[in-house]
Amino acid sequence: MSSDKGMGRREIGGWRLSKRLGKGGNGTVWLAQKGGQKGAMKILQATSLTAKKRFHDEVKSMRLCAGIAGVLPVFEAQVDPDEPGEKWFVMGLAKVLTEKLGSRSTLHTVVEAFAAYAETLAKVHELKVSHRDIKPDNLFHYDGGWAVGDFGLATFKGKKAVTGGGRKIGPIYYLAPEMLNNPGRADERCADVFSLAKSLWVVATGQHYPLPGSYDLAHAAFGIGSYVSGERGVAELDRLIASATAFEPSSRPTMKLVGEELRAWLAPKTEISMPINMDFREHIAAIEKWQDSRVRAAKSQELRGEAIKVVKNRLYNSLIPSFSGLQESIEKALKINVAIDTNPQNGFVQLRVEAPAEQNSEAFLFLTLDLDCESFPTVSLQGCIMLEWRSKAGFFNLIWNDSYDFIEGGADEAVKLDKLRSDMTEAMVDALSKSLALVVTSENTPELAKSMSVTVRDSRGEMLDGASVRVVDMEGITLANVTAVNGVAEVNLSMANKVLIFVAHSSFKSTVITQPGADNHVVLFGGVRSGSMVCGDSWVGVRGLEGDLGFMHDEIKGRIHRLYVNLKGLSGNGGEQGAVHLSIGKPVRLKDRAGRVVFITPRAVVGKNFLIDFEHADDY
């Protein structure tokens, strides 16, 4: 192996070496001069037979392309692997592309260079030669034009494989996916197209490396316009690069077509004559960028929408048997009507149980699942059970709700779905028992105690001071309002009617006692952002929010009930003013003038009495 030491004073083959220009894995490149001609001499340092054969093939591939102006010429070479002595060759002295362009080149100049490279490589491909190592470091400016060099990995017709069949071939950051694991079966011409497109993106954007994978128009990070401002036509280049980096090699354009596309981009745009002369050229680039962002967003939304449809159908098909099983079991056990309502496209499934209610009223128990793909591929399945007793006063109660989040198709999906099936079955049995006891008149119903206590604890078992306890009858009449002291509220009633007890706390979520006895115990859950309140038909405020709310419950002909909240100094659900519709268990987003956001969720309603949970979007 030759040493670099003292090389500047050496001559090889009559070429005098004066300055080292670069060094690679197998060799070094020196500035060389012979007579009046300058060149770049590449000297092989590796001594293995494999390295010598590859070095020989590099020169052979360049000489096969000697008739192409855009390929660096070989002036002289000594590369026969079977002959003794150093292996070297001298090629044209060129500047690396990025060095020639500098930091202030325009997009037009960059495209001019790559149009020339594409045209050169198209001619190389016609000779059955593929470069396989396209990257900015191997693209040059030579003798007044743009030239391709470094054919060390090139392949040509009749070449014997030197690299092992299972090894990757090509520049790692610019490498086409098919060249990673099985290059022996790949069409190297398509791989060259992929690598040239990646190189164009890097040089056009000024980034050090390309983003990995195929160029995805759905994401702004891939757009040249995200890095270059004030340039026209970036959307056209984006589409070309996206096509040239398609995962499937057969979906990429040929190198010839890439060159034609780039030449068309460079061609002067035909001005459209207008009846009135208007010059908005300074705004065209910004308008094109805006239009491209809209197209990108639409494409992303379209692809996302199709994927979500497939997921919703799949999850629907996996859950509907559980609903059918519940339907059959309830019908057999209670001999009552049970129906299933579905909308697979919206990710909605609902089990509706009609309970035998008192005269002049209707009662339904709803088990509902909603599939939320807002953060897809994270999926959220939201389950709830709600009682609707459509009596004159009307009673609506959220009995159970929970959320099951998982990555679509991930390992946790099956676990969460199994838990959902188990939880909703257990919750439905409990909800049926409580609801039937409430809505069905029975001679065996025990008489209500006139004196009751309600003990309120948190999830750690500690007594909660300051909880609001409201006792209401089934006609919506408030019978008692009590505040828990040291976690206990004492209630004395003058009449022993069927009643409900609403329990709320400013720092915890609420609950409802539907079958109160003499001694009642509840556990409230919550956190620093949570709270709840019991409201009537007067204006109320929410802790940490500037503004007032007035809750309304309209009853029409005893069967149709509508719930609203009137807003004062607040907006609802992103801009609604005045009266905003409410649904049990569905949050409403409220925002005050200071920008603070709170979500309120009706948990239960009877007559004019509302039980409301709230949660702050941020700490306050």
Side-chain angles (χ1 to χ4, degrees):
M1 180 185 296
S2 62
S3 171
D4 287 349
K5 189 175 181 180
M7 188 72 77
R9 296 187 294 274
R10 283 189 58 191
E11 282 192 6
I12 299 179
W15 291 85
R16 183 171 181 81
L17 311 184
S18 59
K19 178 184 177 183
R20 192 171 76 176
L21 301 176
K23 185 175 182 179
N26 292 320
T28 54
V29 180
W30 290 81
L31 176 62
Q33 186 169 351
K34 187 176 185 179
Q37 187 177 37
K38 288 184 178 181
M41 177 179 283
K42 187 172 183 179
I43 303 172
L44 180 66
Q45 289 185 318
T47 58
S48 69
L49 181 59
T50 297
K52 291 177 181 179
K53 288 181 177 179
R54 184 179 287 119
F55 200 66
H56 170 270
D57 288 346
E58 178 177 358
V59 173
K60 183 174 180 178
S61 61
M62 293 178 76
R63 283 178 166 167
L64 284 172
C65 302
I68 302 173
V71 174
L72 286 181
V74 175
F75 297 147
E76 192 174 348
Q78 183 176 304
V79 293
D80 191 330
D82 298 323
E83 291 184 1
E86 283 186 308
K87 310 303 172 191
W88 55 270
F89 69 89
V90 180
M91 56 190 159
L93 183 62
K95 271 191 175 182
V96 176
L97 164 67
T98 50
E99 182 183 343
K100 175 64 179 177
L101 291 176
S103 59
R104 296 186 177 182
S105 60
T106 64
L107 186 59
H108 191 275
T109 303
V110 171
V111 175
E112 276 185 331
F114 276 86
Y117 294 139
E119 290 164 348
T120 294
L121 288 167
K123 294 174 183 176
V124 168
H125 288 173
E126 289 175 2
L127 297 175
K128 310 299 182 186
V129 177
S130 298
H131 190 282
R132 303 199 299 182
D133 197 17
I134 300 294
K135 58 184 178 181
D137 287 348
N138 291 340
L139 302 174
F140 301 91
H141 186 265
Y142 172 72
D143 196 23
W146 304 103
V148 179
D150 200 336
F151 280 64
L153 294 181
T155 186
F156 47 84
K157 188 175 182 179
K159 176 181 176 178
K160 294 181 180 179
V162 177
T163 304
R167 294 178 57 191
K168 72 173 182 66
I169 296 178
I172 186 62
Y173 296 108
Y174 303 84
L175 188 65
E178 66 271 16
M179 300 296 287
L180 191 60
N181 295 318
N182 198 7
R185 295 185 178 182
D187 185 337
E188 293 97 343
R189 296 169 301 175
C190 297
D192 281 352
V193 168
F194 185 99
S195 299
L196 186 71
K198 289 281 186 174
S199 300
L200 169 58
W201 186 89
V202 165
V203 178
T205 61
Q207 302 303 295
H208 294 296
Y209 300 101
L211 293 173
S214 298
Y215 191 107
D216 189 350
L217 288 175
H219 299 288
F222 286 92
I224 293 174
S226 297
Y227 308 88
V228 178
S229 60
E231 294 279 9
R232 295 182 60 177
V234 292
E236 296 167 355
L237 292 178
D238 287 343
R239 285 190 280 274
L240 173 60
I241 296 173
S243 175
T245 57
F247 183 83
E248 289 294 337
S250 59
S251 298
R252 299 171 201 155
T254 63
M255 192 66 79
K256 182 174 182 292
L257 184 55
V258 171
E260 291 172 354
E261 285 283 337
L262 293 174
R263 284 296 171 199
W265 188 92
L266 291 166
K269 304 297 184 289
T270 303
E271 297 291 339
I272 301 173
S273 60
M274 295 183 292
I276 301 174
N277 185 30
M278 293 184 288
D279 187 0
F280 296 116
R281 282 176 291 183
E282 62 179 300
H283 303 294
I284 294 298
I287 292 172
E288 286 182 347
K289 185 176 180 180
W290 170 74
Q291 290 173 330
D292 186 47
S293 67
R294 293 187 67 186
V295 171
R296 184 181 292 114
K299 182 66 174 177
S300 175
Q301 196 65 27
E302 178 185 345
L303 294 174
R304 186 173 182 269
E306 289 301 318
I308 288 173
K309 279 184 183 178
V310 173
V311 171
K312 285 184 175 180
N313 273 307
R314 181 176 64 79
L315 292 176
Y316 165 81
N317 289 330
S318 71
L319 290 169
I320 197 65
S322 299
F323 276 74
S324 298
L326 278 171
Q327 179 187 33
E328 183 179 353
S329 298
I330 295 170
E331 286 178 338
K332 284 183 177 180
L334 298 175
K335 305 295 189 293
I336 55 179
N337 293 327
V338 181
I340 297 177
D341 299 321
T342 63
N343 189 328
Q345 292 303 314
N346 290 332
F348 171 85
V349 186
Q350 186 177 78
L351 186 77
R352 185 176 73 253
V353 181
E354 184 176 0
E358 296 175 347
Q359 191 175 6
N360 298 322
S361 68
E362 294 177 330
F364 296 92
L365 194 64
F366 295 98
L367 166 60
T368 305
L369 277 185
D370 280 309
L371 179 60
D372 181 4
C373 292
E374 187 68 27
S375 300
F376 187 79
T378 298
V379 174
S380 179
L381 271 171
Q382 298 165 357
C384 72
I385 297 176
M386 183 182 68
L387 171 66
E388 280 193 16
W389 190 358
R390 300 170 186 172
S391 59
K392 184 172 179 58
F395 174 50
F396 305 89
N397 182 27
L398 180 65
I399 299 174
W400 169 82
N401 69 312
D402 212 338
S403 181
Y404 303 81
D405 301 336
F406 50 87
I407 302 296
E408 186 273 320
D412 196 35
E413 179 183 299
V415 176
K416 291 292 176 62
L417 291 179
D418 283 345
K419 188 175 189 309
L420 166 62
R421 294 184 186 100
S422 174
D423 288 353
M424 73 179 188
T425 300
E426 182 180 340
M428 193 63 182
V429 172
D430 180 63
L432 275 168
S433 176
K434 291 179 178 178
S435 300
L436 290 172
L438 182 66
V439 303
V440 178
T441 302
S442 172
E443 296 178 358
N444 298 322
T445 302
E447 185 176 336
L448 183 69
K450 292 184 179 181
S451 295
M452 297 182 292
S453 68
V454 180
T455 302
V456 187
R457 291 184 171 86
D458 64 15
S459 58
R460 296 171 298 179
E462 296 181 3
M463 305 289 271
L464 281 180
D465 195 37
S468 299
V469 176
R470 177 174 294 188
V471 182
V472 295
D473 67 14
M474 299 312 299
E475 294 183 3
I477 298 173
T478 300
L479 303 179
N481 271 318
V482 183
T483 300
V485 178
N486 296 324
V488 179
E490 299 290 348
V491 178
N492 293 303
L493 302 177
S494 58
M495 299 178 62
N497 294 329
K498 188 180 290 187
V499 300
L500 304 166
I501 300 179
F502 288 0
V503 184
H505 192 283
S506 60
S507 297
F508 293 85
K509 297 292 181 69
S510 63
T511 192
V512 180
I513 304 173
T514 58
Q515 295 174 278
D519 189 16
N520 304 279
H521 295 263
V522 296
V523 177
L524 301 185
F525 298 87
V528 293
R529 298 180 181 179
S530 302
S532 57
M533 56 187 178
V534 182
C535 312
D537 54 3
S538 59
W539 291 94
V540 294
V542 177
R543 175 172 56 93
L545 200 65
E546 293 182 10
D548 296 314
L549 302 89
F551 293 94
M552 297 175 57
H553 176 188
D554 290 340
E555 172 265 323
I556 303 173
K557 296 182 180 179
R559 297 294 176 89
I560 301 174
H561 295 263
R562 294 175 180 171
L563 308 177
Y564 301 92
V565 59
N566 283 312
L567 306 179
K568 186 186 294 183
L570 300 166
S571 65
N573 288 333
E576 291 185 60
Q577 304 289 326
V580 176
H581 177 71
L582 295 176
S583 296
I584 298 296
K586 301 292 184 182
V588 172
R589 182 180 184 271
L590 302 180
K591 185 177 181 180
D592 67 10
R593 293 186 179 93
R596 290 181 288 259
V597 174
V598 172
F599 293 88
I600 62 168
T601 304
R603 185 177 186 88
V605 178
V606 59
K608 302 296 183 182
N609 299 279
F610 284 76
L611 188 59
I612 303 294
D613 289 340
F614 59 83
E615 185 161 349
H616 291 263
D618 300 294
D619 293 332
Y620 61 96

